[in-house]
Amino acid sequence: MSFKSIHQHLSALAIFGLLPLALVAGEVREPFEVQQEGTRLIGQMEDVARNIHQNADRLDSFHRTAQVSASTHKDHLMQIKSLVNEGLRPTLDRLTEIQQDLPEWQQDSIDQMLESAEAVAAHTNSAILNMNENGNRPVALNTDYIDSVSLINEHVDFLVKTADAAGDYADAHQKAVEAGLTVPK
């Protein structure tokens, strides 16, 4: 058998679910290893989302007082932007790369987290643009900015809850497997 025909044969086995290995970037990995990576990445998502939530909560409380400067608002928005670009994006990129090799429940969780993360990024961008255009205007009077911050908070809250629940489910699933229970894949 030539390499090409072996590769085609392995591909056919993988398509029909008869090959118990996941091929990731040419690397052969057991499904369990891929699931473990997915669980670890979901935990990272939760940590980053909690940091974003903390900044968004501060922004939400800041708009109620005129004593917090526009510069402080911008600083927190830049922190959120950095967390999205340097924390959420690379983690989500990797999760989407391995998504097809994960159980259906994890795939669904990733889809929900991706949707929330995209909304957080979009509303963060809107808030930054608004602050750049209206930086001298009192924040308490800037309803578009306040709405953007509220939406960041809403979507990041859902992201935290989804990642937390997915992580808890993965932990419980792993404990059941280790205890020898028959559990759905």
Side-chain angles (χ1 to χ4, degrees):
M1 239 185 205
S2 71
F3 175 75
K4 185 176 179 184
S5 65
I6 291 172
H7 182 64
Q8 287 172 335
H9 184 68
L10 288 175
S11 295
L13 288 174
I15 290 170
F16 293 109
L18 300 175
L19 187 63
L21 302 173
L23 297 174
V24 179
E27 177 184 345
V28 178
R29 297 177 56 194
E30 293 291 332
F32 176 76
E33 292 173 336
V34 177
Q35 289 176 22
Q36 288 294 97
E37 180 182 8
T39 300
R40 181 183 55 78
L41 291 168
I42 288 170
Q44 288 177 0
M45 288 285 300
E46 181 182 355
D47 291 343
V48 174
R50 285 186 188 283
N51 286 332
I52 293 170
H53 199 279
Q54 189 175 40
N55 280 286
D57 275 344
R58 285 188 189 126
L59 286 173
D60 199 36
S61 69
F62 288 167
H63 84 266
R64 294 182 185 96
T65 178
Q67 296 175 355
V68 178
S69 70
S71 175
T72 301
H73 282 267
K74 288 178 183 178
D75 288 344
H76 282 281
L77 286 171
M78 290 300 117
Q79 288 175 1
I80 292 171
K81 178 182 174 183
S82 177
L83 288 164
V84 167
N85 290 334
E86 297 169 17
L88 291 183
R89 181 171 298 165
T91 304
L92 276 169
D93 286 348
R94 181 63 185 147
L95 277 168
T96 56
E97 286 174 14
I98 65 171
Q99 186 174 11
Q100 72 279 357
D101 297 322
L102 296 172
E104 188 174 333
W105 69 266
Q106 266 185 325
Q107 292 179 27
D108 293 342
S109 297
I110 292 166
D111 288 339
Q112 292 175 19
M113 289 185 292
L114 182 60
E115 186 177 322
S116 292
E118 288 171 347
V120 168
H123 294 300
T124 300
N125 191 51
S126 293
I128 290 169
L129 291 173
N130 187 290
M131 283 302 286
N132 288 340
E133 293 171 4
N134 300 299
N136 295 332
R137 184 176 176 195
V139 173
L141 302 177
N142 190 339
T143 57
D144 289 338
Y145 172 76
I146 293 169
D147 290 345
S148 291
V149 169
S150 178
L151 289 168
I152 292 168
N153 231 339
E154 180 182 318
H155 289 286
V156 78
D157 184 57
F158 182 78
L159 181 57
V160 168
K161 288 176 181 175
T162 303
D164 182 48
D168 288 349
Y169 184 85
D171 290 342
H173 187 271
Q174 180 58 35
K175 286 178 184 176
V177 168
E178 288 171 0
L181 299 175
T182 303
V183 293
K185 297 277 182 202

